[in-house]
């Protein structure tokens, strides 16, 4: 058989499987097997057996899609500083005015606060405006990730699971 036939057609199913794997398991009814297919149960997400846990990604801006909103809602100082840095970002047009529209993006931040990668998520702005926003993000200096949040990162850099929107010179 051909190697390509064994590969999934897109990466979406793998992403969905990864997202499902990070969610806490639903408790099984009494008398039911505790692990998958009757095997032993894995330890709770908190790492200690027998202690309740809210899961590895609940409230985590690097794993929970609502984690960033939770940080900003409760007034987290790091999240406020990140938003302030993004709002102060100076976006310069290359050959012309940036025009109307918005740019949607996600960022991967490193523990030291540097932006490792920018993922474009669409928007209505021109290609030139989108490129200008990505270039400006490369010059933004964010504060270092606090230890409690950095503990959720699986490596030195991780993507914030939030889509930021830049329009008319403001990021939200």
């Amino acid at each position: 058989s051909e190697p390509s036939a064994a590969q999934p057609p897109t990466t979406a199913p793998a992403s969905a499987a990864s997202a499902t794997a990070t969610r806490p398991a639903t408790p099984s009814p009494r008398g039911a097997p505790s692990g998958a297919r009757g095997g032993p149960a894995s330890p709770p997400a908190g790492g200690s057996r027998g202690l309740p846990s809210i899961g590895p990604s609940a409230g985590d801006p690097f794993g929970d899609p609502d984690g960033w909103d939770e940080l900003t809602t409760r007034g987290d100082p790091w999240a406020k500083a990140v938003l302030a840095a993004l709002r102060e970002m100076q976006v310069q047009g290359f050959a012309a005015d940036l025009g109307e529209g918005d740019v949607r993006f996600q960022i991967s931040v490193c523990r030291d606060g540097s932006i490792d990668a920018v993922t474009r998520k669409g928007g209505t702005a021109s290609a030139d405006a989108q490129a200008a926003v990505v270039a400006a993000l490369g010059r933004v200096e964010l504060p270092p990730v606090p230890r409690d949040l950095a503990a959720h990162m699986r490596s030195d850099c991780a993507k914030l699971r939030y889509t930021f929107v830049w329009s008319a010179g403001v990021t939200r």
Side-chain angles (χ1 to χ4, degrees):
S1 76
E2 296 179 9
S4 63
Q7 296 176 352
T10 65
T11 58
S15 300
S18 298
T20 303
T22 61
R23 292 188 184 132
T26 304
S28 57
R30 288 183 180 229
S34 57
R37 299 183 189 217
S42 59
S48 301
R49 291 189 181 269
L51 295 176
S53 176
I54 59 172
S57 63
D60 165 18
F62 302 106
D64 178 6
D66 297 323
W68 181 258
D69 285 334
E70 290 177 26
L71 283 181
T72 57
T73 299
R74 69 176 189 239
D76 179 84
W78 180 71
K80 287 170 59 174
V82 168
L83 286 174
L86 293 176
R87 285 185 181 124
E88 293 171 11
M89 172 175 69
Q90 298 296 310
V91 179
Q92 302 164 348
F94 292 121
D97 183 25
L98 295 173
E100 299 292 320
D102 63 16
V103 179
R104 298 171 186 275
F105 59 92
Q106 290 182 337
I107 56 175
S108 294
V109 297
C110 300
R111 294 175 196 267
D112 67 359
S114 61
I115 295 177
D116 179 56
V118 177
T119 304
R120 294 181 191 195
K121 302 301 268 182
T124 58
S126 69
D128 285 343
Q130 291 190 24
V133 169
V134 171
L137 286 164
R139 296 185 298 271
V140 171
E141 294 182 25
L142 302 177
V145 179
R147 276 190 219 162
D148 60 328
L149 293 176
H152 294 281
M153 298 171 72
R154 294 181 184 213
S155 63
D156 284 342
C157 302
K159 182 185 279 188
L160 287 171
R161 301 289 176 207
Y162 181 82
T163 300
F164 295 93
V165 179
W166 176 92
S167 64
V170 176
T171 303
R172 55 187 192 284

